[in-house]
Amino acid sequence: MRKVCRRLWRTGLALCLSLSLLSACGCWSGRELTDLAVVMGVGLDRSDRPGEILVTAQTAKAADMGKKEGGGGPAYWNVSQSGPDPLSALRDMTDTAGRQPYLSHNQILIFGRELAEEGIQSHLDYFLRDRESRTNVFVAVADGSAAGLLDLSPPLERLPARQLYGQIKAGEDTGEWPAADLLGFANQLMERSRAPLAPLFCLVGEGEEKTAQIMGTAVFREDKMAGVLTETETRGMLWCLGKVDGAVLEVPLEDGRAGVEIISAAGYIEPVCEQDGSILMRVRVEAEGHMSAQGGDDNLSAPEEIDRLEAALGRTIQAEIEASFQKAQDLHTDIYGLGNLIHRQHPARWKELEEDWQESFQQVRLEVQMDARVSNTGRLTQPAFPKE
């Protein structure tokens, strides 16, 4: 009797395992990979049709991904479709592509400049709400059209979307540009004061030599693009936020110039509410660098010359901070999150400022405290100039 029970138990276990294996075959939703178009990048532009937007999806051609460069056509296919919203346009792409767009591998969401200046909040809703769309995709703005930015021949990648993603990631790692993922960008839209930011791409070159470069930072007031920070103004903002991880600065001197490579930096912002009701944004920046180049015949490795170089480095950084602050006030945008700091540290004062903060931000005064050091002048103890 015991042997019979054991045999029945083994038979039942084998049957359960077989049924489990059968149920594991295929996708639970019934969508097979061969029925899907894997989307790697999405661009949104104004459409010629009133009340609609133009959505461009860059889909990977799996058959060409493993081929060497030049062996066949491009490894991607851009499909464009107009619709009243992103979901409608993406669904209608099935008629052209013959497959359903699949967004789980998407890496970048690009807005054309005209659409960004009109407002993008309603177009973000689908990508935040849909379960298939990832919230860690990068958000960017194209100086022209998003469709045009996705239609280029990248020198190092098979897919333009992958190239654009890599450029943003590299800028984030070196502290040159602020990277914005979808969730972070949406959170900035909902913050009390801080203006949302995104890298601004421009196309340079012609034909097959056409490439994309990050040329500035798109600044939004609420959900509309209000203007652009240049590279210098962007770095001025990043000094304040303590996000400059590495930079090479051209430091002007009275009798020449010096190149300084920043190896470490820290930035702090302190809001000060004055007794007369005015607001002061006090910024303290600590920066350390190595001299990387020199144009001039002075021996900058001498102690007194090092002091002069450090003072000049401090003035250079302060000028970048002041330039970014002036642009932020011109655009009526708090790019530093100063309002959030006031809300946390001076809640009573914030209640008076909150309703009209972007206008009040124009009256904020700036105070910069610099601590710039040059700790190394390289292998040379004196410049390589002939003696007189």
Side-chain angles (χ1 to χ4, degrees), residues 57-244:
Q58 184 164 104
T59 61
K61 295 164 66 175
D64 292 328
M65 285 297 293
K67 294 181 179 179
K68 295 182 179 180
E69 198 69 27
Y76 66 91
W77 182 34
N78 289 344
V79 186
S80 296
Q81 181 67 49
S82 291
D85 53 69
L87 176 59
S88 300
L90 287 167
R91 286 190 180 277
D92 288 345
M93 284 180 188
T94 307
D95 298 335
T96 303
R99 298 186 179 190
Q100 299 178 25
Y102 183 62
L103 294 177
S104 289
H105 293 280
N106 183 35
Q107 296 187 324
I108 188 167
L109 178 63
I110 307 167
F111 291 94
R113 182 161 185 165
E114 289 187 354
L115 185 64
E117 290 175 343
E118 287 184 354
I120 63 174
Q121 186 169 7
S122 61
H123 310 310
L124 284 175
D125 185 83
Y126 164 71
F127 296 98
L128 290 165
R129 192 181 300 274
D130 186 72
R131 295 182 179 180
E132 196 175 274
S133 175
R134 299 188 304 173
T135 57
N136 62 346
V137 300
F138 281 143
V139 176
V141 176
D143 192 43
S145 70
L149 188 62
L150 287 170
D151 186 23
L152 53 87
S153 300
L156 299 178
E157 297 284 353
R158 302 301 309 276
L159 302 175
R162 181 63 186 172
Q163 174 75 22
L164 300 172
Y165 174 91
Q167 289 176 254
I168 297 176
K169 190 70 173 69
E172 178 187 36
D173 293 341
T174 58
E176 293 180 281
W177 306 103
D181 61 32
L182 180 59
L183 182 60
F185 189 87
N187 285 336
Q188 288 179 0
L189 277 174
M190 295 183 291
E191 280 187 7
R192 295 178 180 273
S193 71
R194 185 173 178 179
L197 306 169
L200 178 71
F201 278 97
C202 299
L203 287 175
V204 295
E206 298 292 337
E208 294 184 357
E209 301 298 323
K210 184 169 57 177
T211 58
Q213 290 185 4
I214 301 177
M215 303 296 288
T217 301
V219 181
F220 287 77
R221 185 164 57 244
E222 295 181 349
D223 72 324
K224 296 179 176 64
M225 181 176 165
V228 179
L229 297 179
T230 66
E231 181 177 357
T232 300
E233 292 164 349
T234 298
R235 189 165 57 205
M237 172 193 67
L238 296 175
W239 286 118
C240 301
L241 300 177
K243 293 185 177 181
V244 176

Side-chain angles (χ1 to χ4, degrees), residues 302-323:
E304 63 275 9
E305 296 299 328
I306 287 289
D307 292 341
R308 187 163 66 95
L309 177 58
E310 290 178 339
L313 174 60
R315 290 193 297 271
T316 300
I317 295 174
Q318 181 168 342
E320 294 186 347
I321 293 172
E322 291 172 348

